[in-house]
Amino acid sequence: MNRINLLPKSIFELIAAGEVVERPASVIKELVENSIDSGANKITVEIQNGGIRYMRVTDNGCGIYKDDIERAFTSHATSKISSADDLEKIFTLGFRGEALASISAVSRVELLTKTEDDFSGSRYEISAGESSAVEDAGCPDGTTIIVRDLFYNTPARMKFLKKDVSEGNLVSGIIEKIAVSHPDISFKFIRDGKQVLFTPGNNDLLTACEAVFGKDFTKDLIEVNSVINSIKVSGYVSHPFSSRATRSMQNFFVNGRYIRNKTIYAALEEAYKGSIMVGKHPYCVLFLELPFDTVDVNVHPAKTEVRFSDEKRIFDSVYYAVKNVIDSDVKRPEFKVEKINPITLHKDYREKSDEQLKIYQQIIEETAKSDKVEIKSPREDISVSDDIPNLVNLNDYKQIKTEEPIKQEISIKTEKDNDDFKVIGEAFNTYILVEQGEKILLIDKHAAHERMLYEQLKSNSSLEGTQLLMNPVNVTLSKEEYTAVTENLSLLKEVGFVAEDFGSGSVIVRECPVDLSVEEVKDFLNEIAGYLLKNKKDLVTEKQDWVLHNIACRAAVKGGNITSEYERNKFVEKLLSMPEIRYCPHGRPVVIEITKYSLEKQFGRIQ
Ligand code: ADP
Ligand code: MG
């Protein structure tokens, strides 16, 4: 056995660096977090070559005292913890006094800093443990740290880095998350000489989200703000109709830190079930604030995965916070016009067009004033030529911006849509057309019916809605199915099936939901058995939901066609009194609306 040696400081720090400094993005994360801790309200990040060659973080925070500079770069040096009582901060916020020491062990670091109290600023350089003396330098209050040539002295680590572009994208991702979670700080990100992100730091979450994720992200959001189980959940979630194909825009922050966690993702998705198209995903920026001791301490602070001591509590808080707001919002999907073929206008109509008259008028006025006939059209989609007899270029007139779907401002309403309505008729024996206020509603009859029945079933999923079977139905099942069904008898009872174990592989059904016809009982129980067997792991609520969906579907078929005008009116009245209904249990939309505004726009009546 060899004798035991204490590792030299330089080697020890290299090992520690492996934990904190994995790639440029982890350096940026540590430096920006330090800047935030310094009280800065302006932070600039600049990188070149994905950060591998050059990274700079500049802040206007408190700066570092001259005498503290060298200490800041030694391991376990921190101004943020002074006693064991602060220990929880170490795990939740990542204060471990290791970042600067680790970064300077594997790169060339230059520091410029000045506190308000110091007359002049300081400059300091350190790389792989070799440092310069602290010297005076002119610089503004705050701190700039420049990190050059990451992993220049650890080629093995260098090999694990991806291409510049990928490393740069990871840095971008980190800055986006940090910027969104600190709307009170103005962030600027410069990548290879180009400014690619800027947030104003006006303390408004929506503005920060728009600056970071774009207008498309912010235009259809609903605010969330609730405290459930002493967990505060706040931020924004997407409207059910404005979903995405992937989960990539689901942003969660726990106690200010961006995290990924399966329970939270599941709670969000579950809250949208029945309100969103199947296969689509909601998006969000949600902040959870919870007691420090409920976040698992074994998880590394530099990583984004966290564990919670009470998963169910977290699930419920997110689920109900989101579910409450989406259920109370009645905004419907908008009718999207993909493209309209140009329509040739008859000369007579053309001359009567208000738009054209306006342009004619303007041209006449302008020509009277000067001899230069160069007039700007009042509408960008109508061009004006200088040839007076052919003033309006009809081609342009015809198109009226047909490329983009018509967008409109719809204010978010939380009250029910129970204004007067008029049923216009029914198209293709499928869609009921309803005029209501300033819009036309297109209702998918079957989807709506199914969903209404489902809601009804759900609200009295007790024994009230059952019928006693004159002749109880005996259903013989396979061995596995039999086990699955007999294990779930109480669940079946909840949804209206009173069945008993009849021994030797069969069950007997004594009561079933009223919405089901007696002939269907056997068939349906077989179907339920198949489902229970295949989806053993589903939650009880999921199993119940499945059964209710399927009863609703069968009942809707049984309900058949709505034929009379009276029935149709009653049906629409009932549907409109249930504004929470937007999608059928299978996730297809129930109602689509066309606003008068969008039609007028389409027909060129308004600009
Ligand atoms: P920690 O952040 O865990 O304290 P670091 O190694 O990241 O450890 O930083 C060490 C110390 O250096 C900090 O505690 C802080 O006092 C100081 N420091 C680092 N960056 C800045 C900054 N941008 N502005 C002011 N002080 C800073
Ligand atoms: Mg730090």
Side-chain angles (χ1 to χ4, degrees):
M1 183 67 85
N2 289 332
R3 303 302 300 262
I4 296 172
N5 291 318
L6 272 183
L7 288 176
K9 186 168 155 275
S10 56
I11 302 216
F12 167 77
E13 280 176 351
L14 266 186
I15 296 169
E19 255 195 59
V20 181
V21 185
E22 211 181 336
R23 52 180 9 110
S26 41
V27 173
I28 292 294
K29 179 173 179 284
E30 294 291 341
L31 296 181
V32 173
E33 281 176 354
N34 280 348
S35 292
I36 294 170
D37 297 338
S38 78
N41 63 9
K42 269 197 194 125
I43 299 174
T44 300
V45 178
E46 182 178 357
I47 63 166
Q48 284 166 21
N49 300 83
I52 301 166
R53 206 177 73 70
Y54 181 93
M55 291 179 259
R56 169 174 73 92
V57 176
T58 296
D59 66 55
N60 64 349
C62 65
I64 307 175
Y65 284 108
K66 258 189 198 352
D67 296 347
D68 280 345
I69 291 177
E70 284 178 314
R71 195 175 305 148
F73 285 87
T74 51
S75 40
H76 311 301
T78 175
S79 57
K80 299 162 196 171
I81 299 168
S82 47
S83 72
D85 294 345
D86 293 336
L87 220 59
E88 62 182 29
K89 289 192 203 158
I90 303 181
F91 298 112
T92 51
L93 299 168
F95 301 154
R96 300 181 305 163
E98 260 183 276
L100 291 187
S102 300
I103 294 166
S104 62
V106 289
S107 66
R108 302 181 213 275
V109 174
E110 182 183 340
L111 167 83
L112 282 161
T113 188
K114 181 182 170 303
T115 66
E116 220 179 15
D117 304 336
D118 283 330
F119 273 130
S120 73
S122 316
R123 190 174 167 283
Y124 178 71
E125 275 184 45
I126 176 166
S127 74
E130 298 285 313
S131 59
S132 72
V134 175
E135 56 190 48
D136 285 353
C139 59
D141 288 356
T143 303
T144 289
I145 294 186
I146 298 170
V147 176
R148 293 188 175 88
D149 305 325
L150 183 66
F151 299 144
Y152 79 98
N153 56 343
T154 51
R157 308 277 307 282
M158 186 79 174
K159 274 195 214 131
F160 283 102
L161 292 181
K162 297 181 181 159
K163 287 197 189 109
D164 291 4
V165 181
S166 313
E167 293 295 343
N169 290 344
L170 291 171
V171 172
S172 234
I174 292 277
I175 294 171
E176 286 173 1
K177 308 291 172 354
I178 296 182
V180 164
S181 58
H182 292 90
D184 53 330
I185 299 175
S186 171
F187 286 91
K188 193 187 279 181
F189 177 37
I190 302 161
R191 190 170 167 177
D192 294 316
K194 253 195 243 129
Q195 180 177 310
V196 290
L197 179 139
F198 176 80
T199 63
N202 62 356
N203 207 9
D204 177 48
L205 176 58
L206 266 191
T207 319
C209 286
E210 188 175 318
V212 172
F213 300 128
K215 263 210 170 79
D216 259 6
F217 183 88
T218 48
K219 74 179 172 27
D220 291 319
L221 295 178
I222 320 176
E223 193 172 355
V224 177
N225 199 347
S226 62
V227 181
I228 300 167
N229 294 335
S230 46
I231 295 171
K232 182 170 180 219
V233 184
S234 64
Y236 292 91
V237 294
S238 54
H239 274 289
F241 66 79
S242 182
S243 49
R244 303 211 164 200
T246 68
R247 295 195 169 93
S248 64
M249 279 304 204
Q250 301 181 350
N251 302 289
F252 287 100
F253 300 83
V254 168
N255 294 343
R257 196 151 67 91
Y258 175 77
I259 57 107
R260 292 163 198 271
N261 172 273
K262 282 200 178 116
T263 304
I264 298 186
Y265 289 134
L268 177 79
E269 297 271 341
E270 190 64 25
Y272 278 81
K273 224 172 179 180
S275 307
I276 201 165
M277 285 268 212
V278 172
K280 294 279 178 146
H281 304 280
Y283 49 93
C284 68
V285 188
L286 279 184
F287 297 88
L288 275 71
E289 282 166 43
L290 52 141
F292 284 121
D293 57 4
T294 52
V295 184
D296 194 320
V297 294
N298 292 322
V299 181
H300 196 283
K303 302 274 185 273
T304 50
E305 278 83 16
V306 287
R307 278 199 298 270
F308 301 106
S309 51
D310 188 350
E311 299 267 327
K312 170 103 174 52
R313 196 165 129 206
I314 303 286
F315 182 97
D316 286 352
S317 309
V318 175
Y319 174 80
Y320 289 110
V322 176
K323 181 95 178 141
N324 288 346
V325 294
I326 57 176
D327 276 0
S328 59
D329 192 275
V330 295
K331 209 168 148 188
R332 294 198 179 92
E334 198 187 312
F335 182 67
K336 298 258 162 73
V337 182
E338 295 295 331
K339 191 168 174 88
I340 284 188
N341 291 329
I343 303 154
T344 321
L345 295 175
H346 190 274
K347 190 170 173 287
D348 290 348
Y349 286 109
R350 195 180 63 182
E351 280 170 5
K352 279 188 193 129
S353 148
D354 288 346
E355 287 299 334
Q356 281 184 311
L357 285 178
K358 220 159 68 196
I359 298 170
Y360 273 83
Q361 188 66 37
Q362 196 196 350
I363 291 170
I364 292 159
E365 277 168 24
E366 291 292 328
T367 13
K369 274 191 245 150
S370 81
D371 49 7
K372 205 167 132 240
V373 193
E374 204 189 297
I375 297 152
K376 217 171 167 295
S377 164
R379 282 177 49 166
E380 52 181 80
D381 51 348
I382 301 180
S383 71
V384 180
S385 83
D386 56 1
D387 177 5
I388 302 280
N390 296 304
L391 279 169
V392 178
N393 179 338
L394 257 187
N395 241 355
D396 279 357
Y397 182 63
K398 282 180 289 186
Q399 281 176 9
I400 313 184
K401 287 203 171 166
T402 53
E403 296 300 327
E404 272 181 272
I406 294 178
K407 297 272 153 64
Q408 54 201 288
E409 315 285 311
I410 311 175
S411 60
I412 300 167
K413 286 189 284 174
T414 44
E415 82 276 14
K416 292 185 175 187
D417 258 347
N418 49 8
D419 319 350
D420 285 349
F421 66 89
K422 187 171 95 196
V423 176
I424 306 171
E426 193 172 317
F428 314 118
N429 198 19
T430 307
Y431 307 106
I432 302 175
L433 272 77
V434 177
E435 182 184 323
Q436 186 190 37
E438 293 281 283
K439 58 202 173 205
I440 292 171
L441 308 177
L442 289 162
I443 301 169
D444 180 326
K445 212 167 54 171
H446 182 79
H449 194 186
E450 211 176 297
R451 183 64 200 259
M452 269 154 73
L453 288 166
Y454 168 71
E455 290 299 330
Q456 252 169 314
L457 284 167
K458 225 163 91 166
S459 60
N460 28 316
S461 60
S462 63
L463 292 182
E464 282 174 349
T466 66
Q467 53 184 331
L468 200 64
L469 297 171
M470 297 283 279
N471 301 312
V473 182
N474 191 331
V475 189
T476 310
L477 301 157
S478 75
K479 208 170 150 216
E480 294 86 2
E481 286 174 342
Y482 168 74
T483 317
V485 170
T486 46
E487 275 172 2
N488 284 288
L489 288 178
S490 60
L491 178 144
L492 290 180
K493 194 170 170 188
E494 282 286 309
V495 291
F497 279 94
V498 179
E500 283 164 25
D501 183 351
F502 207 58
S504 55
S506 69
V507 289
I508 189 154
V509 184
R510 301 204 182 272
E511 284 176 42
C512 80
V514 261
D515 308 274
L516 216 61
S517 63
V518 181
E519 301 78 57
E520 280 182 299
V521 173
K522 196 169 186 165
D523 202 22
F524 192 45
L525 200 82
N526 269 310
E527 219 177 288
I528 296 178
Y531 163 81
L532 290 174
L533 193 61
K534 256 200 263 146
N535 301 282
K536 280 188 193 138
K537 288 203 186 114
D538 280 8
L539 303 170
V540 177
T541 50
E542 281 176 320
K543 288 178 185 160
Q544 284 186 352
D545 252 21
W546 184 91
V547 179
L548 295 178
H549 284 168
N550 286 278
I551 297 173
C553 185
R554 280 166 185 262
V557 174
K558 176 186 157 197
N561 284 338
I562 297 161
T563 41
S564 74
E565 207 171 304
Y566 176 79
E567 268 180 317
R568 204 177 289 134
N569 271 319
K570 279 278 157 224
F571 180 78
V572 172
E573 189 179 61
K574 191 160 170 204
L575 179 72
L576 295 181
S577 72
M578 301 166 89
E580 66 282 6
I581 292 186
R582 277 179 302 242
Y583 290 89
C584 79
H586 297 108
R588 283 186 295 113
V590 166
V591 185
I592 285 177
E593 68 179 35
I594 309 173
T595 61
K596 189 173 170 209
Y597 175 82
S598 75
L599 286 176
E600 291 189 330
K601 214 169 157 152
Q602 195 66 25
F603 283 109
R605 285 169 172 272
I606 50 169
Q607 285 180 32

